Amino acid sequence: MPRYRFRDTARIGQVNVGTYTDRYGRTAHAAACTAPECGWSADYTSRAAAELAAESHRCDPR
């Protein structure tokens, strides 16, 4: 399993957004919520899509 190294990270609310190189050598972007017990995360092909998802993410952590 490859080791992913995130670069160009940003925090939007409780969501972290980062850029990484996937196992096929392509640039990808990930957004992950850091709220306890939320567990939401997603991968995107564009930074704008990841940041939009981070801004619109609403979670109800218990």
Side-chain angles (χ1 to χ4, degrees):
M1 176 175 249
R3 192 187 260 179
Y4 297 115
R5 301 208 183 262
F6 290 94
R7 61 187 184 280
D8 193 22
T9 59
R11 185 169 178 108
I12 301 173
Q14 290 187 338
V15 180
N16 285 339
V17 177
T19 303
Y20 68 97
T21 304
D22 68 6
R23 63 182 173 175
Y24 301 110
R26 299 177 296 207
T27 300
H29 309 277
C33 185
T34 59
E37 299 183 17
C38 178
W40 176 82
S41 67
D43 293 328
Y44 298 93
T45 56
S46 72
R47 178 73 181 206
E51 290 180 359
L52 179 63
E55 290 175 5
S56 62
H57 173 69
R58 299 290 178 256
C59 65
D60 185 22
R62 293 168 176 59

